[in-house]
Amino acid sequence: MGEAGDGFMGVMPYRYYYDTSAKAPMLEKIRAMRPEYQSTAYTQGFLTAMLFTEAAKRTLDAGKPLDGKNLKAALNSIKDFDTGGLIGVPITIKGNSIPVGRVYRADMKAQKMVAASDWISLDK
């Protein structure tokens, strides 16, 4: 977008790959495995795998079969889940969604999206 994109703002639920403003141990692991820039789509997939693993674990720990109904119930039981900094606050799944985000602003000189707000949670 070049210069015209400077100041563009949008909401993103994930911390950007290059964001080192706060402790993010899971993001540090990703950077160690993949030192080249990874898009937020990569982060989304990584978090999805983390959440599926947690839902499967909860389902199996409850002695229930791994089926869609039980996995959905387990997913929606997740409260205050630590994403290792992929999202900047612990998350609670509500209605199969994660009602958390942060406003970012494009800084075209730095070629980065920079935080323009703190983390916003709509589940409160």
Side-chain angles (χ1 to χ4, degrees), residues 8-61:
F8 167 81
M9 297 176 88
V11 177
M12 175 60 67
Y14 311 106
R15 188 180 308 278
Y16 280 88
Y17 178 86
Y18 46 73
D19 183 349
T20 58
S21 65
K23 188 174 178 182
M26 193 59 70
L27 193 52
E28 290 169 18
K29 286 182 183 188
I30 291 170
R31 288 186 199 117
M33 291 185 312
R34 299 182 150 270
E36 67 282 354
Y37 173 78
Q38 297 298 309
S39 72
T40 53
Y42 180 91
T43 305
Q44 179 182 15
F46 203 94
L47 179 63
T48 298
M50 288 173 63
L51 292 173
F52 176 80
T53 300
E54 181 66 20
K57 180 183 176 303
R58 288 175 184 220
T59 300
L60 293 172
D61 286 351

Side-chain angles (χ1 to χ4, degrees), residues 42-106:
Y42 180 91
T43 305
Q44 179 182 15
F46 203 94
L47 179 63
T48 298
M50 288 173 63
L51 292 173
F52 176 80
T53 300
E54 181 66 20
K57 180 183 176 303
R58 288 175 184 220
T59 300
L60 293 172
D61 286 351
K64 297 180 179 178
L66 281 177
D67 62 23
K69 178 182 172 189
N70 293 330
L71 285 167
K72 178 181 178 185
L75 181 69
N76 281 287
S77 75
I78 294 174
K79 295 188 182 348
D80 298 322
F81 184 79
D82 181 2
T83 65
L86 298 180
I87 295 177
V89 294
I91 60 172
T92 297
I93 308 294
K94 283 183 110 175
N96 299 331
S97 70
I98 303 170
V100 174
R102 187 180 208 181
V103 178
Y104 283 90
R105 181 186 49 77

